[in-house]
């Protein structure tokens, strides 16, 4: 009886050492907690910068006269506490005018970009529900633009649309707050440069057109995210079992 009890106690003492190392490295634990997929739905405003923009220095007027609504969906794969890669689609509208020429445009964009959580970069053991992201990437977009030219009582409408996907590349940043382990609320802004000068229907000075995207969104994380690490897996594995009395 005594020998059996000693063997059982020795087994209970050694089991955690075999199942679980003495101590996990903190970086590895925290990186694993961020190794998740996420989906984000966002909506906001795109603003135009180009040959037919008049309010580049006045953002309030820019929002009113040279901007349009936009919506997007983004899927993100987090690799660790710092880096993630995202794929995104955006549908938006733009408008602008200068002198007697105005335009309206519809855009459909899809892109791939890299994201960096700079808050975690400078706070390696951050456990707060707040974060700061910067990102950059490239993609393609399709556009359909209608330009209106008014001259001496005559109004002319000219339609111009992309025949093939055009290149766009961009940089941006944003903030997020995570009230629960599964959901976060974010806001981001980015500036996107088109490899095309015909977004407004007017080619002038060989300068590419730009547009910005200001948005707010809701993110859902698949799987556990930023949970407190389990210090003893063996304890969890046997937490619902009680030792039977020895006979």
């Amino acid at each position: 009886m005594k020998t059996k009890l000693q063997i059982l106690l020795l087994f209970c003492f050694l089991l955690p050492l075999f199942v679980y190392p003495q101590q996990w490295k903190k970086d590895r634990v925290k990186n694993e907690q961020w190794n998740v997929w996420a989906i984000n739905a966002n909506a906001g405003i795109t603003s135009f910068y180009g040959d037919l923009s008049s309010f580049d220095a006045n953002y309030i007027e820019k929002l009113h006269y040279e901007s349009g609504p936009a919506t997007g969906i983004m899927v993100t794969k987090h690799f660790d506490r710092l880096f993630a890669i995202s794929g995104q689609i955006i549908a938006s509208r733009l408008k602008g005018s200068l002198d007697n020429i105005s335009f309206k445009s519809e855009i459909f964009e899809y892109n791939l970009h890299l994201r960096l959580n700079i808050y975690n970069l400078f706070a390696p053991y951050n456990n707060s529900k707040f974060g700061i992201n910067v990102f950059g990437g490239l993609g393609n977009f399709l556009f359909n633009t209608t330009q209106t030219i008014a001259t001496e009582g005559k109004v002319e409408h000219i339609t111009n649309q992309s025949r093939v996907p055009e290149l766009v590349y961009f940089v941006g940043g944003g903030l997020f707050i995570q009230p629960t382990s599964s959901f976060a609320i974010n806001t981001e802004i980015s500036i996107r440069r088109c490899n095309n000068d015909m977004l407004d229907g007017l080619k002038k000075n060989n300068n590419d057109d730009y547009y910005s995207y200001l948005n707010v969104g809701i993110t859902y994380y698949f799987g556990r995210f930023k949970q407190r690490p389990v210090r003893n897996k063996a304890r969890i594995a046997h937490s619902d079992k009680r030792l039977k009395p020895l006979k």
Side-chain angles (χ1 to χ4, degrees), residues 40-77:
N40 173 273
N42 50 82
I45 294 175
T46 48
S47 301
F48 175 73
Y49 298 84
D51 297 321
L52 295 184
S53 60
S54 305
F55 302 102
D56 294 352
N58 188 330
Y59 198 68
I60 301 300
E61 299 293 327
K62 169 73 69 177
L63 291 176
H64 184 70
Y65 294 108
E66 298 176 354
S67 303
T71 57
I73 296 177
M74 179 171 63
V75 176
T76 299
K77 175 64 172 72

Side-chain angles (χ1 to χ4, degrees), residues 125-146:
Y125 300 107
N126 162 44
N127 287 318
S128 72
K129 297 181 178 181
F130 171 79
I132 303 174
N133 287 322
V134 294
F135 54 88
L138 54 84
N140 293 110
F141 72 99
L142 299 167
F143 66 91
N144 189 342
T145 298
T146 299

Side-chain angles (χ1 to χ4, degrees), residues 9-23:
L9 291 175
L10 181 63
F11 177 77
C12 293
F13 176 75
L14 293 177
L15 181 61
L17 299 181
F18 292 123
V19 177
Y20 180 78
Q22 291 183 354
Q23 182 179 6

Side-chain angles (χ1 to χ4, degrees), residues 127-131 175-186 217-221 225-227:
N127 287 318
S128 72
K129 297 181 178 181
F130 171 79
L175 312 173
F176 72 87
I177 299 175
Q178 188 187 354
T180 72
S181 62
S182 297
F183 289 94
I185 301 171
N186 70 287
I218 299 177
T219 302
Y220 174 75
Y221 300 98
F225 186 69
K226 293 183 66 178
Q227 298 292 328

Side-chain angles (χ1 to χ4, degrees), residues 29-145:
V29 172
K30 288 182 176 294
N31 285 341
E32 288 177 351
Q33 294 159 6
W34 284 74
N35 188 13
V36 295
W37 287 87
I39 186 169
N40 173 273
N42 50 82
I45 294 175
T46 48
S47 301
F48 175 73
Y49 298 84
D51 297 321
L52 295 184
S53 60
S54 305
F55 302 102
D56 294 352
N58 188 330
Y59 198 68
I60 301 300
E61 299 293 327
K62 169 73 69 177
L63 291 176
H64 184 70
Y65 294 108
E66 298 176 354
S67 303
T71 57
I73 296 177
M74 179 171 63
V75 176
T76 299
K77 175 64 172 72
H78 294 268
F79 295 106
D80 52 31
R81 289 171 50 82
L82 297 180
F83 293 102
I85 189 168
S86 298
Q88 185 181 35
I89 58 174
I90 302 172
S92 63
R93 295 179 181 179
L94 292 173
K95 60 183 178 180
S97 63
L98 182 65
D99 299 328
N100 63 323
I101 306 176
S102 62
F103 84 97
K104 292 183 179 180
S105 184
E106 297 180 352
I107 300 175
F108 179 79
E109 175 192 328
Y110 52 93
N111 67 67
L112 192 67
H113 60 277
L114 184 68
R115 307 177 71 86
L116 170 65
N117 189 325
I118 61 173
Y119 190 79
N120 283 348
L121 180 64
F122 294 103
Y125 300 107
N126 162 44
N127 287 318
S128 72
K129 297 181 178 181
F130 171 79
I132 303 174
N133 287 322
V134 294
F135 54 88
L138 54 84
N140 293 110
F141 72 99
L142 299 167
F143 66 91
N144 189 342
T145 298

